[in-house]
């Protein structure tokens, strides 16, 4: 027997999915009543995002490179919906703002799948030239992250509140995300330090980060897997 919950009022959701707001919700059937029915909960294995970026830092402090994003599930639906109505002129403006610094205008080009179909996968990529990425005099540092993180970046998962909740359930989600970043530094630039490797596995969340420095090449791999039983989590679960 085929059972499928469909929301015909949502213009941006693929046929095989419900919006996050309708996931894991009680259902009252108007015929053939079955007690304790719910719409399907989000499954962690259905929602994934990958970001790969290779970057080269120049002697003037600018950075050039490329970024490739690939996603399935809700991040793909979100990205498709976001780019679906963007015109070529609007895209040009978005890219300019995305890769410009506070004082100088940057540039970028974009390639993407056709965002019009209602599908649960999506890929897009950028080539960019961003000025003033790092300071060129004295000692400095920079924030290690892709210049475009996508709708379900690694650090989106790490922004949960650390305070305990009591007496109520809260919204939660699940899925996985990964970043693979490579930075190439000029030969004249001395690398003084890098972040330490880190890993944590608790409360349905597994995160690990690896930083490898080989001469003036820094390779970064960060992965996170959230297996929370979305869409609604109890206080006892979130406080573990």
């Amino acid at each position: 027997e085929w059972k499928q919950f469909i929301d015909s009022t949502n213009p941006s959701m693929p046929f095989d999915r419900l919006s996050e707001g309708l996931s894991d919700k009680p259902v009252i059937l108007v015929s053939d009543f079955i007690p304790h029915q719910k719409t399907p909960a989000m499954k962690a294995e259905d929602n994934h995002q990958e970001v790969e970026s290779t970057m080269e830092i120049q002697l003037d402090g600018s950075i050039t490179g490329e970024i490739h994003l690939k996603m399935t599930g809700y991040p793909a639906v979100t990205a498709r919906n976001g780019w679906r109505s963007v015109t070529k002129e609007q895209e040009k403006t978005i890219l300019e703002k995305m890769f410009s610094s506070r004082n100088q205008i940057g540039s970028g080009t974009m390639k993407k799948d056709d965002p019009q179909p209602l599908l649960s996968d999506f890929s897009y990529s950028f080539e960019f030239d961003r000025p003033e990425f790092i300071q060129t005099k004295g000692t400095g540092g920079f924030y290690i992250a892709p210049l475009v993180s996508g709708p379900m970046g690694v650090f989106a998962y790490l922004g949960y509140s650390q305070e305990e909740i009591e007496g109520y359930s809260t919204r939660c989600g699940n899925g996985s995300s990964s970043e693979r970043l490579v930075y190439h530094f000029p030969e004249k630039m001395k690398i003084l330090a890098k972040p330490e490797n880190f890993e944590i596995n608790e409360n349905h969340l597994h995160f690990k980060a690896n930083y490898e420095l080989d001469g003036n090449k820094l390779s970064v791999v960060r992965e996170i897997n959230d297996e929370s039983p979305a869409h609604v989590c109890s206080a006892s679960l979130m406080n573990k």
Side-chain angles (χ1 to χ4, degrees):
E1 184 179 356
W2 188 55
K3 295 181 180 180
Q4 183 77 38
F5 291 93
I6 300 170
D7 181 8
S8 61
T9 66
N10 194 323
S12 61
M13 195 60 55
F15 178 79
D16 62 334
R17 290 182 176 273
L18 295 175
S19 65
E20 293 186 53
L22 294 180
S23 300
D24 199 26
K25 292 295 192 296
V27 174
I28 298 177
L29 302 178
V30 295
S31 63
D32 299 323
F33 176 74
I34 303 175
H36 312 301
Q37 287 287 291
K38 282 188 173 184
T39 57
M42 295 167 56
K43 297 180 180 179
E45 61 268 23
D46 291 341
N47 304 304
H48 180 66
Q49 176 179 290
E50 300 175 9
V51 180
E52 295 187 3
S53 183
T54 300
M55 296 156 280
E56 186 165 345
I57 296 175
Q58 311 297 321
L59 282 173
D60 64 357
S62 65
I63 186 170
T64 60
E66 56 186 32
I67 308 170
H68 300 271
L69 298 97
K70 182 179 180 180
M71 53 204 70
T72 57
Y74 284 111
V77 173
T78 300
R80 280 183 177 274
N81 191 42
W83 288 105
R84 188 168 285 130
S85 59
V86 174
T87 66
K88 284 293 184 182
E89 192 63 29
Q90 290 172 330
E91 180 180 305
K92 181 180 178 181
T93 301
I94 291 171
L95 294 177
E96 185 177 288
K97 290 182 178 180
M98 190 179 293
F99 298 115
S100 292
S101 66
R102 180 176 298 179
N103 302 309
Q104 297 185 34
I105 295 176
S107 62
T109 59
M110 180 182 187
K111 294 180 179 179
K112 61 180 181 294
D113 295 342
D114 181 3
Q116 296 303 324
L118 300 180
L119 300 174
S120 298
D121 60 272
F122 191 53
S123 297
Y124 55 106
S125 62
F126 303 90
E127 292 185 359
F128 63 86
D129 186 342
R130 183 190 187 281
E132 298 181 323
F133 179 70
I134 61 171
Q135 65 183 37
T136 57
K137 296 181 180 179
T139 303
F142 64 92
Y143 181 67
I144 297 177
L147 269 64
V148 180
S149 59
M152 201 170 78
V154 166
F155 283 92
Y157 288 95
L158 301 177
Y160 293 141
S161 172
Q162 300 301 310
E163 297 183 3
E164 289 194 357
I165 61 176
E166 183 177 350
Y168 61 93
S169 298
T170 185
R171 180 186 182 278
C172 55
N174 55 29
S176 59
S177 185
S178 66
E179 297 174 347
R180 287 170 172 78
L181 316 175
V182 177
Y183 295 90
H184 294 278
F185 299 89
E187 291 184 4
K188 295 182 179 180
M189 187 174 293
K190 184 178 180 181
I191 312 303
L192 300 177
K194 67 174 182 64
E196 296 294 330
N197 296 340
F198 179 79
E199 183 171 4
I200 186 171
N201 190 358
E202 63 178 32
N203 194 23
H204 302 282
L205 195 69
H206 184 201
F207 171 70
K208 59 181 178 180
N210 184 76
Y211 305 88
E212 182 179 343
L213 184 61
D214 181 10
N216 275 32
K217 173 185 174 182
L218 176 65
S219 300
V220 180
V221 178
R222 295 191 288 215
E223 300 174 321
I224 192 163
N225 186 25
D226 185 345
E227 295 185 345
S228 299
H231 181 69
V232 178
C233 293
S234 66
S236 60
L237 175 67
M238 297 299 290
N239 293 335
K240 284 184 178 179

